[in-house]
Amino acid sequence: MELGDVADELYALAPQDFIAARDARAKDLRADDRALADAVKALRRPAPVAWAVNLLARDDDLDELEALGEKLRAAQQSADRQAITTLGRQRRELVRTLAARAGELADAAGHAVSQTVLDEVAETLQAAMADPDAAAAVRSGRLLRALESVGFEPVELEGALAVPEGVASAPKPGRRKGPRAVTDPDAELRRARADADAAVADARRAVERAEQGTHELADRAAEVDRRREELETEIDDLERNLRDAKKGLAQAERELQRLDRDRGGAERRADQARTALRRAQERRDSLD
């Protein structure tokens, strides 16, 4: 079994169930493959938005999302304003439909998500259309956090994917990694908006990291609390056993005292019987 196979099982679970299932899986694997068990134990719990997107990736092949993304990138590269407008409208409709579907899947799984989470789902789906690597990350079903895009620039994927090996797509031929030249009259405004979007994206990622840290600390606190409860139960059992042992010891001591008294009485009766025997023998001898 590979780490990716185990990850696919675990990331289908709700975030609330992830830690317990991950730890149990690692424990089961440890006897046969310690390295794999350690790798499983190191897997991080997904944020609620990532879980909802992972549900969507398992329910829908997302081909339409990726196809529309390719068309949008091509229109952007060729500066086809009419195509950009038409495809942008299609993108908004598709994202709205898929985000709603993610909410339905979460409801069906018994863990409804908030509108804030669904808004982050929509942002993540838009990022998938802006960047083929982001699309591959979303399609993998192993997402850990929300994704955000600034225009059609590469999406920041660091820390966004569990077990990324074999998931991210290779950069497309001729794909730019640096800023794209802007030739339309609204260049300055677009750059300003891009800078503002980048600042918002950085702030949201900081919030995401902080929330993830809070989740992890809460998980660790819950594990310590469970261990404390186990130890308290063990102490209660030991104290109960000690009380039972003391009762048993007291009963044994009382029984020993009774037996000592009975033995003393038996020894006295034996002495008396031996004295009576000796006297009887003496009387008989006197008759001879």
Side-chain angles (χ1 to χ4, degrees):
M1 176 173 288
E2 300 293 334
L3 178 59
D5 298 327
V6 181
D8 288 339
E9 296 174 11
L10 294 176
Y11 286 105
L13 303 175
Q16 299 92 321
D17 304 327
F18 180 84
I19 296 297
R22 178 201 67 188
D23 292 350
R25 200 73 173 89
K27 184 177 180 181
D28 291 341
L29 292 167
R30 188 161 299 279
D32 297 327
D33 192 334
R34 187 178 185 85
L36 177 58
D38 290 342
V40 170
K41 182 72 174 179
L43 292 174
R44 291 165 48 205
R45 179 171 71 171
V49 56
W51 173 66
V53 173
N54 291 340
L55 284 180
L56 186 62
R58 286 172 169 79
D59 180 73
D60 191 304
D61 57 21
L62 302 180
D63 286 347
E64 186 178 0
L65 185 81
E66 293 188 64
L68 185 56
E70 290 179 4
K71 292 178 181 178
L72 276 163
R73 291 193 298 275
Q76 183 72 17
Q77 226 171 16
S78 62
D80 186 339
R81 299 176 75 93
Q82 183 175 355
I84 290 173
T85 300
T86 301
L87 294 171
R89 188 164 51 249
Q90 294 177 14
R91 176 180 64 181
R92 289 190 294 274
E93 181 62 31
L94 179 59
V95 165
R96 188 162 48 247
T97 299
L98 290 176
R101 177 57 182 159
E104 293 171 357
L105 293 171
D107 287 343
H111 297 279
V113 294
S114 67
Q115 184 58 49
T116 300
V117 170
L118 292 180
D119 290 343
E120 292 178 329
V121 169
E123 291 180 5
T124 298
L125 295 175
Q126 290 188 80
M129 283 191 277
D131 183 335
D133 288 343
V138 166
R139 190 176 60 246
S140 74
R142 303 175 191 171
L143 208 60
L144 292 174
R145 62 167 175 82
L147 302 181
E148 293 171 300
S149 60
V150 179
F152 284 83
E153 297 305 317
V155 174
E156 175 57 57
L157 294 176
E158 183 176 358
L161 194 63
V163 197
E165 292 78 7
V167 171
S169 65
K172 303 300 181 183
R175 182 183 174 196
R176 293 175 160 186
K177 290 295 181 179
R180 181 180 293 111
V182 180
T183 58
D184 61 83
D186 298 326
E188 290 298 328
L189 178 59
R190 292 178 62 187
R191 275 197 295 270
R193 285 176 176 169
D195 290 342
D197 288 343
V200 171
D202 289 342
R204 283 178 174 162
R205 279 194 290 272
V207 170
E208 183 76 21
R209 287 193 295 271
E211 289 178 347
Q212 185 68 28
T214 299
H215 290 322
E216 291 174 356
L217 288 173
D219 292 337
R220 288 168 58 189
E223 290 176 0
V224 172
D225 189 54
R226 283 196 298 271
R227 181 55 182 158
R228 178 186 59 79
E229 291 178 354
E230 292 174 357
L231 290 172
E232 287 178 347
T233 301
E234 291 178 10
I235 289 173
D236 290 341
D237 292 341
L238 291 172
E239 289 178 344
R240 186 167 52 254
N241 292 338
L242 179 59
R243 288 194 298 270
D244 293 342
K246 286 181 177 179
K247 288 180 182 178
L249 177 60
Q251 291 174 351
E253 289 176 344
R254 288 194 296 271
E255 181 68 13
L256 182 60
Q257 291 173 356
R258 185 184 65 78
L259 291 173
D260 284 342
R261 288 194 300 271
D262 292 347
R263 184 183 64 184
E267 288 177 349
R268 286 193 297 274
R269 287 192 296 275
D271 289 342
Q272 292 171 355
R274 283 192 292 270
T275 299
L277 174 62
R278 186 177 66 253
R279 290 175 178 174
Q281 287 175 337
E282 289 175 350
R283 284 196 300 273
R284 186 192 64 184
D285 292 343
S286 66
L287 297 175
D288 290 340

